[in-house]
Amino acid sequence: MGSHPHDPPMPVPATAAGREGLEALLRTPRRAVVALDFDGTLADIVPDPDHARAHPDAVPALAALAPRVEAVAVVTGRPAGVAVRYGGFAGVAGLEHLVVLGHYGAERWDAVTGVVHAPAEHPGVAAVRAELPGFLDAIGAWRGTWIEEKGRALAVHTRRAEDPEAAFGALREPLAELAARHGLIVEPGRAVLELRPPGMDKGVALTEFLQERDAGPVLYAGDDLGDLAAFSAVEKRRAEGLPGLLVCSGSAEVPELAARADLVLPGPAAVAAFLAQLAQALQA
């Protein structure tokens, strides 16, 4: 299946390092790792995270690409099993070797076994789970905010508040103090503050996975502040002479990520289209 004369051209990275990363991936795909965030990158952001699903074009694009590269990994703050379910990743032809690194790498699901490996829960999460509803009520932040249960973490969403940004700003410091009291940290995101154990982030998870695979070129795509650590991991590899391509999905809400990306795509539909173009280029 070659390219069709009416197919749009593949997007070109805006930076020299990004163009080098893309060229290296196309030149040596069997050593390349493609790693992607889930929410906002493979799935559109929706008001209720429980309703998030992979974009209809995302899984077919990944399934076409995965057999042509060393590995494809989804790196997410969600529990691994939830990402697998909402992504529709299990039992897909072409994704037999997909890996999902959940909870910023604390959990791992391998398509080969279909099993999630996870450590014991941090005791601070249970303590915060019990305290959080009353805590939000006491500081007058209950209206318009809501708690998402994430198993090994808890998230406070402000997207439904009258002024989401103001609610986010008002909650940031009190939640950081609550988290610190129980040995947790706060991870800010798009209208969400996540309380989770320290020590794991997407940069650590990605670095460990790349070392395990003895990876060459790496493509990482994300959309949120939590993806900055993964961007840093790729930038560190580039400083060591290992090519990489940084993709930002959407640019309006998280300008910090867009500013560091080699390629900015307008959202999950465009990310899926780009993955499909990569698969097509490698097939050709």
Side-chain angles (χ1 to χ4, degrees):
M1 179 176 64
S3 64
H4 191 275
H6 300 299
D7 287 344
M10 189 185 291
V12 177
T15 65
R19 290 190 291 273
E20 188 183 322
L22 178 57
E23 285 161 15
L25 191 155
L26 293 170
R27 194 170 58 246
T28 56
R30 292 293 174 196
R31 293 206 58 221
V33 168
V34 175
L36 311 109
D37 167 50
F38 183 70
D39 291 279
T41 303
L42 292 175
D44 285 309
I45 296 288
V46 291
D48 184 343
D50 288 340
H51 295 160
R53 296 296 182 268
H55 188 278
D57 296 338
V59 172
L62 286 174
L65 181 60
R68 296 178 167 80
V69 296
E70 163 62 28
V72 171
V74 175
V75 189
T76 175
R78 284 188 183 268
V82 172
V84 171
R85 195 161 70 247
Y86 291 1
F89 299 134
V92 176
L95 294 183
E96 295 88 354
H97 299 280
L98 179 73
V99 173
V100 176
L101 303 172
H103 277 310
Y104 302 91
E107 290 187 352
R108 176 172 173 149
W109 176 87
D110 287 84
V112 172
T113 60
V115 173
V116 173
H117 292 279
E121 182 182 89
H122 188 289
V125 175
V128 167
R129 183 180 290 121
E131 201 176 323
L132 195 52
F135 179 85
L136 290 174
D137 204 23
I139 64 172
W142 194 246
R143 188 185 298 265
T145 63
W146 59 284
I147 300 166
E148 181 190 2
E149 172 58 63
K150 300 185 78 169
R152 293 167 191 284
L154 295 146
V156 178
H157 290 262
T158 66
R159 195 173 286 274
R160 295 179 193 162
E162 205 170 297
D163 185 338
E165 278 186 42
F168 180 91
L171 276 173
R172 198 161 176 170
E173 203 170 302
L175 286 180
E177 288 170 8
L178 174 67
R181 199 159 72 240
H182 295 290
L184 304 179
I185 60 167
V186 170
E187 179 83 48
R190 289 162 73 171
V192 62
L193 292 154
E194 185 171 313
L195 293 82
R196 64 178 181 87
M200 279 309 280
D201 62 35
K202 290 184 179 183
V204 174
L206 180 63
T207 298
E208 289 179 356
F209 185 73
L210 295 174
Q211 287 170 345
E212 172 195 316
R213 292 303 178 111
D214 191 25
V218 58
L219 182 161
Y220 185 84
D223 76 307
D224 210 341
L225 293 170
D227 296 302
L228 286 170
F231 270 36
S232 294
V234 175
E235 287 163 350
K236 184 173 184 292
R237 285 171 58 87
R238 292 205 296 209
E240 295 162 1
L242 293 162
L245 172 61
L246 296 170
V247 178
C248 175
S249 172
S251 60
E253 282 196 55
V254 189
E256 302 97 314
L257 201 72
R260 280 171 63 180
D262 306 305
L263 180 61
V264 178
L265 299 173
V271 171
F274 179 58
L275 296 173
Q277 287 176 310
L278 282 178
Q280 198 171 48
L282 293 175
Q283 195 172 353

